[in-house]
Structures are given as structure tokens and as C-alpha cells.
Amino acid sequence: MSVGVLALQGSFHEHLAALGKLGVKGVLVKKPEQLEGLVGLIIPGGESTTMARLAEYHNLIQALQNFYKKGKPIWGTCAGLIFLANKAIGQKSGGQELIGGLDCTVHRNFFGCQLNSFETELPIPKIAAEEGGPETFRAVFIRAPAILEAGPSVEVLAEYTLLSNESTKFCSTIENTENEGQCQTGQKVIVAVKQGNLLATAFHPELTSDTRWHSYFLKMLGENGHQSLVPVKVKQDPENSLSSSQIRDLPIFQQTEVLSFEL
Amino acid sequence: MASDGVVTVYGNGAITDPKKSSYAVKVGLAQMLRGGVIMDVVNVEQAKIAEEAGATAVMALERVPADIRAQGGVARMSDPGLIKEIKRAVTIPVMAKARIGHFVEAQILEAIGIDYIDESEVLTVADDMHHINKHNFRMPFVCGCRNLGEALRRIAEGAAMIRTKGEAGTGNVIEAVRHVRSVLGDIRKLQSLDDDEVFTFAKQIAAPYELVRQTKQLGRLPVVNFAAGGVATPADAALMMQLGCDGVFVGSGVFKSGDPARRARAIVQAVTHYNDPHVLAEVSCDLGEAMVGINLNDEKVERYAERSE
């Protein structure tokens, strides 16, 4: 009984580390057969185009769709959110394969290029109510997507309020593609949702030390009638332990800047 | 905290936008590139082939390193028009190279809104003493290194990502292996030291003590570390990953080969499945001709890696 992390590309080590902190063993998934026996799956951040290509090469798309249809919880962060959406705009020419399931329209690169990447204290009332802790979450948005439209069955967990100068900037991004004049100053965009067994965030909880989103997802595994993953201190299995493959975790950025160069 | 947003370093005429981009955001994009392949491209067609193959980012250039080697002359930042054209054509992040120490080229690249700047020894060096002070930019930088000291000096200057240099444009992986082994070997040595001995170690490798201490604690570089310079086959790429890198830059190796689309796809798959010899065998079949490559025993071959410390 373990949680999988899709390990085609991107921040999967960071997710494993976050799960490890909660005492849960994560398993790297690169091939369809590795999905067997998992109770849930995390699709990490990364380049969604790349992940879609790699998933196609190994027939993972179909396997992931079946995984979702079996009612097993999937959580997508950033690229993972795009993967789970029914419709994504702003894709590469020719489009990309999506798993689908989430009744949303996602703009693939809503917040623009790296210059527009940012971090913010995002209000997360629902998560704070269930998991405790501060009312806000340090959310890191990296060339991030956003949800433009969400269907009635989708529960909105967090919204980001665009600053006035940002909304013009982002509007121009959107006009470049196909959705004109959708945003106004002070408009809110949806950046975290839940629908049934799907959870999706446009930002990267795996890049910060706050594990509330991970713990929220682990509770979803219980909700779905599976044996609940009670956080137990698991000894790292050498098979999946990072040290065995020489790969170690990057610093998970704390509330204060970890990397400072003062001497 | 050193100087994010401090603009006085370059004198009164500083242009750099002081708006802060936190170090976490800069390193964050590199973290999203982990486990991926970054490919050198010289035009829109190649950029599309790279994207289609599953590259996580492209490096927009006028000439790939193999051509820079063959043609000689001064290699500079690419035409911003070309970079913008490539940026419009693809959805994945676009990187571009600036000369070492040439902070105005970096300002121009920041102004056109690319995603990452490579302060690269492949281009002709503009300042033989100083690198760009990368804290002054909102844009993240990747820099080359041959050993741990060099890597940590670049991080101290503000680099948010490191690549081992290898020897670009040669199609010969020996230098890439040497540099990766040097960096990771030094980290292993560092970990075996007593805390009291770290001060002298920092002095010996000429790196800031604070970063050396942090590297010892983490057991790895504090930023994402890619391999570069000489990767030409899926096996080369997987070798870099098994040695312990977070991802791979492929320069001339893809578009100087017989079947670029196929080779690009194979290298992308090799990086994902780097520890699965069955997949590696499968993707290595029928790739057509690899780039010819240069024998590095030849003294006359210029070593780009030695251009900066």
C-alpha cells in the first residue's frame, strides 16, 4: 500500500521528500505496470509537454486514465494540473495528450514566462480549516498555469487575486492565444481545485516545507474507501531510497530564505 | 542577504529592474527541469523538433558549439530577434547564452523575457577576471563548472543552476565524465570530513565557507546540477544520470547527427529511464549516424572549459 509519484520528469524527488516527511513511502512510477497496487498517485511539476511525450512513448496515458476511472485519487501540481484537465489552451502546435477528468479549462502558461514567476502568501481557507496552521500558504508559481473555467462539480480550494498591472500583462498573454478580454483588474483566478478523487494545484507545494497539501491528499486516499494511510514512520526501502541512486534532495525552501551568502 | 535587487553595483547608470525575484523562484524553474534534456537549437524548425521529442527546454543559439569550433572567430550572444522567434514558436522554456562577464548581453536577454541565461564559456569570454554578478538580475542563470570550488563560486555569484562544462562541440564525453566525477567526488570527500576540517577545505577549493558547509550538510550541490559538453548518444546521457546528475544538456550531439528527431527522442527517453538497460537498448537502436566527434588527445583542440575559473 503506497503512494506513487509519476517520475517521467520534473520535481518528483521533491514530492518523495515531502511524503517522507509525513512518514509515507512514495514509489517512483515510470511504466504502466508500476501503477499496480498503488492507492494514489501524484503527478509532479515539470514541463507538461515533455511529460505528455514521455507518457505517450510508454502507453502511460491509457493506464493513467484507467487508474483514475478506478476511483483512485490523483493529485497534479502545475504540469500535473494541466494533465488532469479536460481542456487546456496555450499548448504547443498539435496539442498534447491529456489524461482528463477534471471539468476545467486550464491555460497552460497563464502567468507567462520565468520573469513572471513569483511566490505569494496564498489564502487557503479550506486547507487551513482541515489541516490547521496559518490561513495562508507560501505558494511558488513557476511559469504556472491557471484555471479559467471550472464546472459545477468542481470545488475551488484557492484563488489568486491578480494585481492590477498583472492583469493587463496576463491579458496580453491570453490574447496571444485564443481567449480575448477575459480578465479584468483585481480579477481572481482559480489556482487549486478538488473534484471527486482529483486534486490539482497550479503552484508547487513540493518546493516548500509546508506539508499541509500533502497531508490533505493523503486523507483523500482514506476517503475513497481504501485502507487509510496512517502516517507511520517507515524505514526507507533501499529499492526506492534516494541515497542508493546517489540522488539527494535539494533544500526544501523554508519560510525564510535558506540560501544566503552571508559569511 | 547579498544584493538581490541592489542596483548600485554597476555604478550609477544601473538599468536592472530592482523588482525582486526570490532565489526560491529562480531555483524552482531549474527544479522543474530535473530529469530532462535541454537541447541547443539554431532555428525555429530545430526548436520544434526538440519540443516534439520531449526536450524540457531549448537553448537558442546562432551556431552550435561544433560550428563555433569549426569556423572560429568571436562567438557572441545570438541575435535577440532569432531568440524571440524561437520563443514564439515553442511552449517550453527558452534559454540563451551570454558571454562570461558581459552583463549587458545578460540585460538584453532579460529584457526580451527569455526563461534562463547561460553564462557560457562556449562563447568568447568578455571579462577574463569577473563573472556577471547574477544577484542583480531577476532572471535565473546557469553557469558551467569543472570542480566543486568553481560550482560554489558561481552559486555565490547568484547562479541558480549549475552544469558541469565537459568539452562542448566535441561529441566526446570524456571531459563531461571528468568534471562530473570531480564535482561529485569532491562532495563525497567533503562529507567524510570532520566539521573542524571544513574551513581549510573551503580555503583549498576557494569557495565561500557557508556554501561549503551547506553542501556538506545536503550531500549535494544546493542547486540543480546538469551535465553538458560532449553528450552525443542515449548511452552518454544515461551515463551522466547514473553518475548522479539531475539532467543533461545536449548541444551539437542532436542536430549534427544523421536523424535529429529520432536521436532527440531517444536521448529524452534515456534520461527518464537512465537506470533501465532494457529501455536504453531499445531506444539506442537504428538511430543513424552519430556526430563525428573530436579526439581530445589532440593538443591543438582548444579547451573551452579552461576559459574561466
Side-chain angles (χ1 to χ4, degrees), chain A residues 246, chain B residues 145-148 151 162-167 173-188 221 225-229 231 236-249:
Chain A
Q246 298 177 342
Chain B
C145 75
R146 289 172 297 166
N147 50 51
L148 182 59
I162 288 293
R163 60 175 169 75
T164 48
K165 285 175 174 172
E167 201 50 70
V173 85
I174 180 171
E175 292 296 312
V177 171
R178 195 197 308 276
H179 299 156
V180 172
R181 281 217 183 263
S182 165
V183 171
L184 299 179
D186 279 353
I187 293 174
R188 285 187 284 268
L221 285 179
N225 172 27
F226 272 48
V231 174
D236 288 351
L239 174 64
M240 294 296 128
M241 296 301 288
Q242 288 201 21
L243 283 174
C245 291
D246 295 318
V248 175
F249 281 87

Side-chain angles (χ1 to χ4, degrees), chain A residues 30-31 53 57 119 262, chain B residues 1 22 52 265 272 276:
Chain A
K30 298 189 184 204
K31 292 176 170 175
R53 293 308 290 179
Y57 294 152
E119 51 179 315
E262 287 160 336
Chain B
M1 177 74 209
S22 76
E52 201 57 43
R265 202 172 66 188
T272 297
D276 186 337

Side-chain angles (χ1 to χ4, degrees), chain B residues 1-21:
Chain B
M1 177 74 209
S3 72
D4 254 355
V6 173
V7 292
T8 50
V9 178
Y10 294 146
N12 298 326
I15 309 172
T16 314
D17 190 337
K19 187 188 161 191
K20 268 201 161 189
S21 197

